[in-house]
Amino acid sequence: MRTFAVIGLGRFGTAVAETLVEQDLEVLAIDIDADKVDRVGDRVTHAVQCDATDEKALRAIGLENVDVAVVSIGEAIEASILIVMTIMDLGVPEIIAKAVTNKQGKVLEKLGVSRVVYPERESAVRLAHGLAMPNQLEHLELAKGFGVVEMPLPTRYVGMLLRETMIRTHYDVNVVAIKRAPDPLTGAPYGGEEEVNFNPSPDDLLKEGDVLLLIGHEHDLQRLQEET
Ligand code: ATP
């Protein structure tokens, strides 16, 4: 099983550490501030007070053995850079670093981290997409302007064959999968499991309660939701 370290126990780092632990994963949580360490102490696998720019101290707690390190330092850009450099030297194979500003993100990318996350911006984008498309269940931004959304089958398509909906022609949006809840009486088709048809055919019949997984331009996805 992959093991994790979370360095910097602000709100973001703490939430990452706790969520990993909730999924039964092993987490080494580190902060230079003893109060922060105490606060998460009983909720993570190991919580250690340590300066994460100090390579020796990190070695002493076995940081070089983790598979993934999440560096969650916001405003203190210098600290985040130094910490990333230190854990790179230790040979941690996957490093995910939080950035607050573009500049910080760019530097972290240049250093060669596996991934830079911008939690505030990402949650703002998700919120705004949710507001623009209130019907959607899930939204994933694939690239700027393109997305995958999951939305309940609009009532006007109930009982139609997929090709009859003309979704692709009218909206330039592709239906990549259809999810169907099991029949409450028979449990069909898979003994109570949700059915996911990930290769829908034009002749598939759409039923009430189906959920469509759609891919397309954000503005086309939005148009589809608004007009149905
Ligand atoms: P959030 O917004 O998620 O609450 P934040 O981005 O404001 O957090 P910061 O206040 O920047 O978080 O700090 C993150 C944490 O990193 C702090 O708890 C701080 O004590 C810790 N930290 C700073 N420097 C080091 C270091 N050298 N080693 C370990 N921890 C550090």
Side-chain angles (χ1 to χ4, degrees):
M1 200 182 299
R2 301 210 300 166
T3 55
F4 298 82
V6 175
I7 302 172
L9 303 173
R11 286 160 299 176
F12 182 75
T14 302
V16 171
E18 288 178 355
T19 310
L20 288 167
V21 170
E22 277 165 23
Q23 294 167 89
D24 292 328
L25 294 163
E26 207 170 293
V27 179
L28 175 59
I30 297 166
D31 202 290
I32 200 167
D33 178 345
D35 286 344
K36 297 263 175 76
V37 175
D38 282 347
R39 231 175 285 159
V40 299
D42 50 350
R43 285 172 282 151
V44 298
T45 327
H46 307 285
V48 184
Q49 188 266 325
C50 165
D51 179 351
T53 60
D54 179 347
E55 190 174 327
K56 262 197 202 139
L58 292 180
R59 269 191 207 283
I61 57 172
L63 191 101
E64 74 271 29
N65 300 321
V66 304
D67 299 303
V68 185
V70 178
V71 179
S72 174
I73 312 278
E75 306 292 321
I77 298 183
E78 232 180 76
S80 75
I81 294 168
L82 283 173
I83 292 170
V84 164
M85 288 168 68
T86 311
I87 59 179
M88 274 183 165
D89 284 346
L90 286 175
V92 174
E94 189 173 346
I95 300 173
I96 296 160
K98 165 178 137 168
V100 175
T101 62
N102 274 338
K103 259 191 199 155
Q104 183 183 14
K106 278 205 179 119
V107 175
L108 293 166
E109 261 165 33
K110 270 257 155 43
L111 286 178
V113 298
S114 319
R115 190 169 146 203
V116 176
V117 290
Y118 299 85
E120 287 224 343
R121 191 188 307 164
E122 284 162 19
S123 68
V125 168
R126 253 197 314 279
L127 172 68
H129 280 144
L131 294 173
M133 295 184 237
N135 264 337
Q136 72 190 0
L137 305 172
E138 284 290 344
H139 187 117
L140 175 71
E141 190 179 20
L142 283 183
K144 211 163 175 49
F146 286 92
V148 174
V149 306
E150 210 179 62
M151 76 182 254
L153 179 71
T155 36
R156 71 166 160 139
Y157 295 145
V158 172
M160 284 188 182
L161 301 178
L162 182 55
R163 66 179 146 80
E164 291 172 338
T165 65
M166 309 273 281
I167 291 177
R168 188 157 37 192
T169 316
H170 289 155
Y171 298 100
D172 212 12
V173 161
N174 264 299
V175 178
V176 286
I178 302 169
K179 289 212 268 188
R180 181 164 297 163
D183 186 306
L185 295 177
T186 63
Y190 301 122
E193 292 294 314
E194 183 179 57
E195 178 187 14
V196 180
N197 175 357
F198 57 85
N199 192 9
S201 115
D203 293 321
D204 280 334
L205 179 65
L206 300 169
K207 291 190 181 169
E208 191 175 350
D210 284 354
V211 170
L212 303 180
L213 192 69
L214 305 162
I215 186 167
H217 255 293
E218 301 286 0
H219 58 86
D220 290 326
L221 292 165
Q222 200 170 329
R223 206 157 48 87
L224 168 63
Q225 291 214 353
E226 280 166 4
E227 292 178 13
T228 53

